């Protein structure tokens, strides 16, 4: 009886660790998506401003305040921000890859979680339980 409680507790701990890995990967993926979107926006703005004369007025939102500047004033700041976003994106991608590799190593060290999950899926298949519910 005590052995089953220890095994069940260990299984819960493994499940919690697995869930934490998955949540961390999901959060990193969300951040990566946000930074990619912002990088693309900077790229589009720079492409739009490129053919314009340097003395042309343009507007930039800074901390919620719309500021009037010239293309000449805005372009360097946009380029700097864009380069910074690319560096952040590269770092986030490295973090994601490291986290994913760490999770794969963890899975190899803890095969019981996959075995249990696979056996539950096999049992469901034998009982005819559909894998996905459709409305």
């Amino acid at each position: 009886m005590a052995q089953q409680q220890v095994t069940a507790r260990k299984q819960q701990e493994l499940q919690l660790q697995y869930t934490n890995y998955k949540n961390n990967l999901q959060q990193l993926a969300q951040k990566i998506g946000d930074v990619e979107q912002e990088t693309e926006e900077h790229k589009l703005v720079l492409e739009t401003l490129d053919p314009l004369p340097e003395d042309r007025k343009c507007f930039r939102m800074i901390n919620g305040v719309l500021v009037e500047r010239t293309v000449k004033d805005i372009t360097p700041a946009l380029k700097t921000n864009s380069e910074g976003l690319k560096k952040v994106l590269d770092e986030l991608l490295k973090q994601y890859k490291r986290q994913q590799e760490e999770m794969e190593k963890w899975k190899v060290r803890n095969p019981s979680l996959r075995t249990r999950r696979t056996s539950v899926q096999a049992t469901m298949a034998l009982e005819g339980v559909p894998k996905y519910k459709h409305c």
Side-chain angles (χ1 to χ4, degrees):
M1 180 76 168
Q3 181 66 15
Q4 286 179 338
Q5 288 177 342
V6 170
T7 304
R9 187 175 302 140
K10 177 72 172 171
Q11 196 68 29
Q12 286 176 340
E13 289 173 9
L14 289 174
Q15 185 64 45
L16 183 62
Q17 289 174 353
Y18 178 77
T19 302
N20 286 338
Y21 275 119
K22 293 297 273 183
N23 288 341
N24 288 340
L25 284 173
Q26 191 173 23
Q27 288 173 351
L28 278 172
Q30 179 65 41
K31 288 178 187 176
I32 289 169
D34 292 345
V35 172
E36 282 178 339
Q37 182 179 359
E38 201 166 332
T39 302
E40 186 62 29
E41 287 174 9
H42 276 71
K43 179 183 167 194
L44 288 172
V45 171
L46 284 168
E47 288 173 357
T48 303
L49 293 178
D50 189 42
L52 300 177
E54 289 185 343
D55 61 342
R56 177 154 178 189
K57 285 188 211 177
C58 62
F59 295 88
R60 180 176 182 201
M61 184 77 71
I62 301 176
N63 295 329
V65 178
L66 197 59
V67 180
E68 182 181 330
R69 298 280 191 250
T70 63
V71 171
K72 181 181 178 180
D73 296 333
I74 299 265
T75 304
L78 282 173
K79 286 180 181 177
T80 302
N81 289 351
S82 183
E83 290 167 6
L85 286 169
K86 287 177 185 174
K87 288 177 184 175
V88 168
L89 182 60
D90 287 342
E91 186 57 38
L92 285 173
L93 288 169
K94 287 176 188 175
Q95 284 179 8
Y96 186 89
K97 187 175 180 179
R98 277 194 306 264
Q99 186 80 21
Q100 201 170 32
E101 289 170 354
E102 188 178 315
M103 183 175 153
E104 291 304 317
K105 288 176 185 175
W106 180 87
K107 282 181 180 180
V108 170
R109 287 191 315 263
N110 298 289
S112 61
L113 184 65
R114 278 189 291 162
T115 305
R116 180 174 174 258
R117 189 175 289 242
T118 305
S119 65
V120 169
Q121 290 172 346
T123 304
M124 289 173 59
L126 288 173
E127 294 173 355
V129 177
K131 193 170 184 178
Y132 302 104
K133 276 187 162 180
H134 295 286
C135 298

